[in-house]
Amino acid sequence: MMEQVQKEVNRIIFLVLKVATVPALGLVLAQNWDGLVGLILGLSVAILSFKIMARNAWKITGCENPVQGQALALTGYFIRFFFYALTLAAALNRSGVTFLACALGLVFIKFTLLGEGILKQFMQSLHRKLGPVKE
């Protein structure tokens, strides 16, 4: 079962990296190196946080006591947001890193998952309305 979770996490990360090439390529073409560094920094922290969240979720499902599971979930939640705040603070205080691009990198996984979900819902709705395609 853990292999399936890891496979799904890797699929999502690969999808995020594919989608992130578009703004990264735009930043390279605009020669906005500070923005590119910010995007890479935010995206790196987001991917690490996502992997930690998946591992933490696996641990939570194995908890025998619900209170222990809640405490573990809350701890993981605060640790992730601490890393986000630390990353944003570093981006804000460093020259050579664009704060907005860093913030975009931090939420890129969320945007990608939301976009994928909306696209799947749209395709399912379209498939139900049109019915099966006949050749």
Side-chain angles (χ1 to χ4, degrees):
M1 183 67 173
M2 182 58 177
E3 295 85 26
Q4 291 173 334
V5 171
Q6 197 63 30
K7 187 176 180 180
E8 182 64 13
V9 167
N10 290 338
R11 183 193 70 81
I12 291 168
I13 290 172
F14 185 67
L15 176 65
V16 166
L17 291 174
K18 286 194 305 190
V19 173
T21 57
V22 174
L25 186 60
L27 290 168
V28 167
L29 291 175
Q31 295 183 355
N32 185 347
W33 307 119
D34 295 348
L36 184 63
V37 170
L39 181 70
I40 291 171
L41 175 66
L43 198 55
S44 299
V45 170
I47 288 171
L48 283 170
S49 175
F50 187 68
K51 287 180 95 57
I52 290 169
M53 182 184 66
R55 190 169 296 254
N56 199 22
W58 183 255
K59 288 179 185 177
I60 291 169
T61 57
C63 289
E64 296 173 11
N65 184 351
V67 174
Q68 183 185 14
Q70 288 174 344
L72 190 59
L74 192 61
T75 302
Y77 180 79
F78 283 123
I79 288 172
R80 283 193 316 277
F81 275 99
F82 174 74
F83 283 131
Y84 287 167
L86 203 64
T87 303
L88 289 174
L92 194 58
N93 293 322
R94 301 283 302 178
S95 63
V97 179
T98 303
F99 177 80
L100 248 72
C102 184
L104 177 68
L106 283 173
V107 296
F108 219 89
I109 288 179
K110 292 159 186 63
F111 286 157
T112 304
L113 288 174
L114 183 63
E116 182 185 33
I118 290 171
L119 183 64
K120 281 183 180 178
Q121 285 292 94
F122 176 74
M123 295 303 286
Q124 287 174 354
S125 175
L126 190 63
H127 187 263
R128 279 194 303 269
K129 290 184 192 269
L130 295 178
V133 178
K134 295 181 181 179
E135 294 181 18

